[in-house]
Amino acid sequence: MVKSVVAEETRLQSTEDGLFQAAVPAQVGLVIGKLSSSLDKGFVFELVPTPPNDAGQPASSLSEGGKDGRKKGSKAKIHVDTSLLVIDRDWVAEHARQVSRLLLGGANVIGIYIWATENSFKTSTTLLWQTVKVVADAAPCYESDLDERLLIHISYSPRRWSCRNCMLGPTFSSSGLKPCDFKMGKVLTSLQHFKCMYNFEMRLPIFCTDASKAWSFGDALRSGIALHAKELNEAKALIDGNLVVRHRPSTSHATHEVELLLPFTKDVTKEARSTEEVMGVAVICGSIFSSAYLCPKEPLSQVISDIKVDIINSLRSRLDIIFDLSEEDDSELKIDDEQKFESVSSSEKPAHKLILHDLRKPCNIFFPRRILVPWLPGICICDYLQPSDSIQDLKDQWKELLSMDAPSDLSMILEPEAEAEGTSLSAKSFWDLTHDNTKSESDGSQKKKVKDSNHSSETKSQNFNIVIAIVVLIMSILMGLVLMFLSK
């Protein structure tokens, strides 16, 4: 359970000053940071305001009425703030979902903040807890055993900060919001950076059962990513060439290189060929750049866990982007046919919606490429480029989601996956797969026949030479005997 929270003082002070200058009655936004289960501590990197919704309405406001009142037994008018907060929870949750896609390992949406008076906050605790819960559902912290999030209150009457720990139970209770120690300090400058280029290839047999006949390519990919997450969880890791010891802390502040070592697994492709109920094989392969940040006093095992989660989250995010774009315009997806990529016509299904049971030709989906964008001092965010996109297309999105200005120098935006093979997903029908295997076995048999033929010819030639040598030897002996007889 998180008992204390340390927030980056430079970022939060800037947020507070901006709120007082704007003089808005209420504001809601996301808390970006990290919750450490090993330290029972929370770290806050930044507060990100939720932008207005599609209709231009703010995500939070105060209800009208009940702002002024007269206290009984008193002749003087006293201002009593009994206004309630109004929050568009679904919009805040959608904001959290999209922001979480941009965060690297070790940085998460760990709660919400609210700018409101003390009385408004106290009269809206149930609504605030519900907002925290929908945000947690929209932006889950995978592989985390902490079932809690933070609620930070910035009060302007009186002016002060406070933080509460929200326990994410099924229903709200008075014990669901617990005060925790909150202070500001230096967080960003103490973070350590770890990076990893992860090369992988997953081969997933698609079984032909009644339940899987309606399976699409996208269903297979989601299932494959879930299976690979379990496999990746068992991987060992090297940091700067040294095997990671579970509870060993890291003391160096340099950038560290991480290498993941996967355990040996079965050849599912070979196993699939011997299974009559397999109708195809989905292949996910490529290179993913992963990055993570480690907070002070956290063990190295934590950053390895964050790297693994970042890899799986990156795969999920790219798949979600493909799904989202196909809903807007199915022609964005491309199908690989005879090594030539052509846009899918409006009458055809997108590649990820193809039913695998009916698939009779290879198809290929290229995942968006990951890029890194400078954000906070020492911290980057990530985003994903489609083949037809440019970095310029993403600048407005960063401004809206994170209230940040993109760097004017585009050379500061890194594309670590550009030189790698990239990430692609492909599927072949089972018959093509077995045909390829049969062909390779046939080629092997022909090579073996040629080799055997050559070996046989060499053997015959050697035998013939031996026979000649024996005949010459016998004739020499006979000639010697004849000469001896004549000499007598």
Side-chain angles (χ1 to χ4, degrees):
M1 178 180 175
V2 173
K3 298 177 181 178
S4 63
V5 176
V6 181
E8 175 58 40
E9 59 183 2
T10 58
R11 304 306 306 172
L12 268 65
Q13 190 62 51
S14 175
T15 299
E16 184 181 25
D17 292 342
L19 287 170
F20 269 97
Q21 291 176 7
V24 292
Q27 187 183 92
V28 67
L30 307 177
V31 179
I32 310 300
K34 186 174 187 179
L35 300 180
S36 175
S37 58
S38 60
L39 302 178
D40 293 333
K41 198 171 185 179
F43 300 89
V44 176
F45 305 157
E46 178 67 300
L47 304 182
V48 178
T50 298
N53 58 25
D54 293 336
Q57 300 297 320
S60 64
S61 60
L62 292 178
S63 63
E64 298 179 0
K67 292 185 179 180
D68 293 317
R70 185 185 299 271
K71 188 175 180 180
K72 293 182 179 180
S74 175
K75 296 181 179 180
K77 288 186 177 180
I78 300 177
H79 177 73
V80 180
D81 185 3
T82 59
S83 56
L84 294 174
L85 281 168
V86 178
I87 298 178
D88 188 343
R89 290 177 295 173
D90 293 338
W91 185 248
V92 178
E94 177 60 22
H95 181 218
R97 185 185 74 85
Q98 295 191 39
V99 167
S100 65
R101 185 184 288 175
L102 305 179
L103 300 177
L104 295 168
N108 300 287
V109 177
I110 59 172
I112 67 169
Y113 76 87
I114 186 69
W115 161 262
T117 63
E118 191 71 27
N119 287 331
S120 297
F121 179 84
K122 290 181 179 179
T123 55
S124 307
T125 53
T126 301
L127 174 65
L128 291 169
W129 181 87
Q130 292 171 345
T131 306
V132 171
K133 184 171 176 58
V134 296
V135 165
D137 292 338
C141 297
Y142 293 101
E143 305 299 327
S144 174
D145 55 356
L146 287 174
D147 194 21
E148 56 192 298
R149 295 293 187 274
L150 300 182
L151 171 59
I152 294 179
H153 176 215
I154 313 170
S155 173
Y156 56 84
S157 179
R159 184 170 179 174
R160 65 182 178 186
W161 291 75
S162 63
C163 183
R164 286 168 174 77
N165 189 332
C166 298
M167 306 304 296
L168 303 177
T171 57
F172 174 72
S173 63
S174 58
S175 61
L177 293 175
K178 296 182 178 180
C180 56
D181 182 39
F182 182 82
K183 64 180 180 179
M184 298 189 187
K186 301 292 185 181
V187 176
L188 298 181
T189 56
S190 62
L191 296 178
Q192 298 179 57
H193 182 213
F194 296 77
K195 61 181 182 178
C196 172
M197 184 62 77
Y198 179 64
N199 303 311
F200 68 97
E201 179 173 328
M202 293 182 282
R203 294 179 176 268
L204 311 169
I206 309 302
F207 295 95
C208 183
T209 62
D210 292 338
S212 66
K213 284 184 178 181
W215 257 39
S216 67
F217 197 6
D219 294 331
L221 299 182
R222 289 195 186 279
S223 176
I225 292 173
L227 291 174
H228 191 67
K230 296 179 180 179
E231 180 182 336
L232 188 62
N233 189 49
E234 301 298 325
K236 302 298 182 182
L238 301 176
I239 295 182
D240 299 330
N242 300 314
L243 187 66
V244 174
V245 178
R246 180 172 179 79
H247 298 293
R248 175 188 169 190
S250 178
T251 57
S252 172
H253 287 277
T255 299
H256 304 278
E257 297 284 346
V258 178
E259 182 180 359
L260 297 178
L261 308 176
L262 289 174
F264 289 108
T265 56
K266 296 181 180 179
D267 186 352
V268 295
T269 304
K270 183 181 294 184
E271 183 180 345
R273 294 191 188 110
S274 60
T275 305
E276 295 180 359
E277 294 183 350
V278 171
M279 64 178 177
V281 174
V283 179
I284 309 176
C285 61
S287 301
I288 290 181
F289 178 83
S290 176
S291 182
Y293 300 97
L294 189 68
C295 293
K297 298 184 180 181
E298 284 191 296
L300 288 175
S301 57
Q302 180 60 54
V303 79
I304 299 304
S305 176
D306 292 338
I307 286 280
K308 294 175 180 178
V309 170
D310 182 60
I311 291 172
I312 298 302
N313 284 348
S314 181
L315 282 171
R316 288 181 175 131
S317 294
R318 299 179 208 220
L319 193 59
D320 289 341
I321 289 172
I322 292 176
F323 283 16
D324 292 345
L325 289 177
S326 68
E327 295 298 331
E328 298 174 4
D329 186 1
D330 289 347
S331 64
E332 291 292 332
L333 292 179
K334 298 180 179 181
I335 291 183
D336 178 15
D337 186 10
E338 298 179 357
Q339 305 302 320
K340 295 180 181 180
F341 297 92
E342 298 177 354
S343 295
V344 182
S345 65
S346 58
S347 61
E348 295 178 318
K349 289 183 177 181
H352 76 276
K353 291 185 178 180
L354 292 174
I355 303 301
L356 291 177
H357 183 68
D358 300 328
L359 186 62
R360 289 296 179 268
K361 62 180 179 180
C363 68
N364 202 328
I365 300 178
F366 280 94
F367 268 15
R369 189 172 71 250
R370 196 177 210 182
I371 62 173
L372 301 183
V373 184
W375 180 35
L376 304 176
I379 291 187
C380 290
I381 60 168
C382 70
D383 210 335
Y384 301 92
L385 277 177
Q386 289 280 69
S388 59
D389 290 340
S390 66
I391 293 176
Q392 195 70 29
D393 299 329
L394 303 176
K395 286 186 174 182
D396 291 340
Q397 175 177 284
W398 304 333
K399 178 67 175 178
E400 181 182 14
L401 294 179
L402 294 171
S403 296
M404 64 172 283
D405 293 323
S408 56
D409 184 4
L410 295 183
S411 63
M412 298 176 64
I413 299 176
L414 306 179
E415 300 185 51
E417 295 178 356
E419 297 180 359
E421 296 179 358
T423 306
S424 64
L425 300 95
S426 61
K428 300 179 79 174
S429 69
F430 177 64
W431 309 113
D432 290 336
L433 188 69
T434 53
H435 174 72
D436 292 343
N437 182 55
T438 305
K439 182 178 179 181
S440 62
E441 291 177 352
S442 176
D443 292 342
S445 300
Q446 291 178 0
K447 291 179 181 179
K448 183 177 180 181
K449 288 180 180 179
V450 172
K451 184 177 180 181
D452 292 344
S453 176
N454 293 336
H455 179 72
S456 177
S457 299
E458 292 176 359
T459 303
K460 289 181 180 179
S461 178
Q462 292 176 357
N463 293 339
F464 181 73
N465 292 334
I466 293 174
V467 170
I468 292 177
I470 293 175
V471 170
V472 171
L473 178 61
I474 293 174
M475 291 182 65
S476 300
I477 294 174
L478 290 176
M479 288 294 294
L481 292 175
V482 170
L483 292 175
M484 287 179 59
F485 179 77
L486 293 175
S487 63
K488 291 181 179 180

